[in-house]
Amino acid sequence: MNIHVRKRKSRPLLSELQAMTQRQRLNKMVNSFFPANHDVAVVMDDETYLTLDGNDWQGTSYFTSSTKEVSSVVKLISHTQFPKKVLLWLTISEKGMPKPFFFRSGLAVNGEIYSTKYLPEVASFIKKYHKGEDAVFWPDLVSTHYSKRSLEEMERMNIDVVPKSANPANVPQLRPIENFWANLKRKIYSNNFVAKTEEELINKTKKELKNMPTRFRSPWRMFRLTAGRPLART
């Protein structure tokens, strides 16, 4: 009968007020930055945590076997109560991605670190790959992105950023970097990879990043299609 089992994709469950706010912000962003007759390059950034053993990634929760007799090495996952983590920060656009930023356990990424270490790379990336183009920087709603120091630096560096008042929350379907994280972690933790040190995890991640796609489809046309409609079920 050509019937197949397919996995449902999750999406944020929004209240009526949250959905209305999301619609308003999306419309504002579309009308301000993405006119129907003009291409605009979207530059976005995001961050994710990586643990040494990958226990926080759902892909490591399953294994396949044709027999009930399976080694305890496969069946059991050892973990510590407070595992060490590495924070990975990336920028992407339809032209590719610059070098990754890694922050080790215990290092808080505040507005000062973000504005002095990361934003200069964003400005350099836009200048190099989107010179002569209209490009808008679309960060997520992490507080460091919209701190006073960060906003001042973005203005000084001529980074055209989506204002917080026009930045819709909970729209992973419009941000290709969300799927990028899932695919990257699948590659990192394949074959039950467990890093002994943060340095080993960072080196493994750098290796897998080289094998990941370097170009991303710009979502600006999707903005036009979804403007005025809720992006998640209320």
Side-chain angles (χ1 to χ4, degrees), residues 2-36:
N2 199 29
I3 297 176
H4 304 277
V5 177
R6 294 179 173 86
K7 186 177 180 180
R8 288 177 171 172
K9 295 183 179 181
S10 63
R11 59 180 177 180
L13 181 64
L14 303 182
S15 66
E16 184 176 350
L17 177 60
Q18 289 172 327
M20 181 180 67
T21 302
Q22 186 189 74
R23 266 196 316 273
Q24 291 173 344
R25 290 192 174 190
L26 181 60
N27 275 321
K28 186 174 181 180
M29 185 166 66
V30 169
N31 295 329
S32 300
F33 295 100
F34 304 99

Side-chain angles (χ1 to χ4, degrees), residues 197-214:
T197 64
E198 293 173 330
E199 190 64 30
E200 184 179 359
L201 176 59
I202 290 174
N203 289 335
K204 170 70 170 176
T205 303
K206 287 180 178 179
K207 178 182 177 181
E208 297 302 337
L209 280 171
K210 293 179 181 179
N211 299 321
M212 295 293 287
T214 57

